[in-house]
Amino acid sequence: MAPEIPKEQWAQVFEKTGGPIEYKKIPVQKPGPDEVLINIKYTGVCHTDLHALKGDWPLETKLPLVGGHEGAGVVVAKGDLVDSIEIGDHAGVKWLNGSCLACDFCMQADEPLCPNPLLSGYTVDGSFQQYCIAKAAHVAHIPKECPLDGVAPVLCAGITVYKGLKESGAKPGETVAIVGAGGGLGSLAQQYAKAMGLKVIAIDTGDDKKKMCEELGAHAYIDFAKSKDVVKDVQNATEGGLGPHAVLLVAVSEKPFQQAAEYVRPRGTVVAIGLPAGAFLKAPVFGTVVKMITIKGSYVGNRKDTKEAIEFYRRGLIKAPYKIAGLSELQSVFDKMEKGDITGRYVLDTSK
Ligand code: NAD
Ligand code: ZN
Ligand code: ZN
């Protein structure tokens, strides 16, 4: 029997860039022919959601907007053309809500590069609501044995860092520096790196984050606010002082994007993932050339990366800590995030 779908639901909405965000009732939408309607049970809060609210990036959001793109829930309705997923299946709303599936990039499964993407919680309404629409071709398929609160952060943070680690080319036994290791992406990156056989140098600040990184198995923790010379400290934490084979930049400030090329090992790779407002990457030309460094960006992941990242979670390899709050408490989560006070991830329960 088809589940009963209410006409109205709770959501977090903002009418203009900069806010305020308002917790209120809005209508439940009907899915189009190639779409599904997902009853979101839990949704992670990514720093991207805060960038969207603040208007940090040179890309406009839809307004009014329901943010959120780490939504895990149950399919409750689907369009006539959908045969890849059934009502009752567990599914996830991720950043890439939809893409054209016909351009050169989509054809080669590089759909995050599609020139006409639909972005959840940015250009289309996302998962900070109880019922969310997504294109059936792109929703994440979540095995029933995965708890929906725990798997929610995998839907953006997990997929993104898993893809970033693959893009880094780092091999088992090698060392990766994770910059912003104490945050949402950073905590998951440490778990994926460990599962992939990499050694981790965690870089962030504060004792709470230090404790978490140590519990997650980091080989070394460097507090960027206490260190007198981050570049030296990172190099000294590696064998022979040569520097890490790869650097994953998931921080939300510009400075580390200016330092990574200095401490990465010769032949190493710097992967930029974090998106601080107005920031630039900087690297000395001399050092980049004579050390043969690669500097690249990495942007979410495709459908296969999604499936693989969830499979790591299903196998019990990804145990990053998260705290649960109610959907109604989103503003207070943003306040903590703004101050850098969140260790790991916040996941919102949409029933509260
Ligand atoms: P978060 O707020 O949970 O974590 C950011 C961490 O960076 C914090 O722990 C903070 O203390 C740390 N940090 C700040 N300055 C630092 C410095 N100088 N050195 C080391 N660490 C520092 O944020 P999040 O949700 O993990 O997102 C991180 C960034 O990644 C955001 O900019 C987000 O928009 C971006 N993002 C990018 C992609 C992508 O596809 N490229 C996907 C998701 C998120
Ligand atoms: Zn995100
Ligand atoms: Zn496309």
Side-chain angles (χ1 to χ4, degrees), residues 46 48 69 156:
C46 178
T48 293
H69 57 274
C156 174

Side-chain angles (χ1 to χ4, degrees), residues 98-107 110-117 138:
S99 73
C100 80
L101 298 174
C103 71
D104 276 7
F105 301 107
C106 284
M107 275 190 210
D110 250 342
E111 63 252 23
L113 305 180
C114 178
N116 295 306
H138 283 279

Side-chain angles (χ1 to χ4, degrees), residues 222-241:
I222 291 158
D223 190 319
F224 70 85
K226 287 188 187 155
S227 164
K228 292 205 173 54
D229 189 340
V230 170
V231 173
K232 276 248 146 51
D233 285 350
V234 174
Q235 285 175 328
N236 287 341
T238 62
E239 211 183 316

Side-chain angles (χ1 to χ4, degrees), residues 77-150:
K78 59 178 199 158
D80 289 345
L81 300 176
V82 177
D83 52 16
S84 56
I85 192 157
E86 297 303 325
I87 289 171
D89 285 354
H90 289 184
V93 173
K94 53 190 181 55
W95 175 247
L96 202 71
N97 187 290
S99 73
C100 80
L101 298 174
C103 71
D104 276 7
F105 301 107
C106 284
M107 275 190 210
Q108 61 189 27
D110 250 342
E111 63 252 23
L113 305 180
C114 178
N116 295 306
L118 300 176
L119 307 175
S120 305
Y122 207 93
T123 63
V124 295
D125 285 344
S127 55
F128 293 156
Q129 57 182 337
Q130 293 173 311
Y131 291 87
C132 182
I133 296 222
K135 295 287 179 193
H138 283 279
V139 291
H141 294 236
I142 301 176
K144 288 245 164 94
E145 67 219 81
C146 298
L148 292 173
D149 52 348

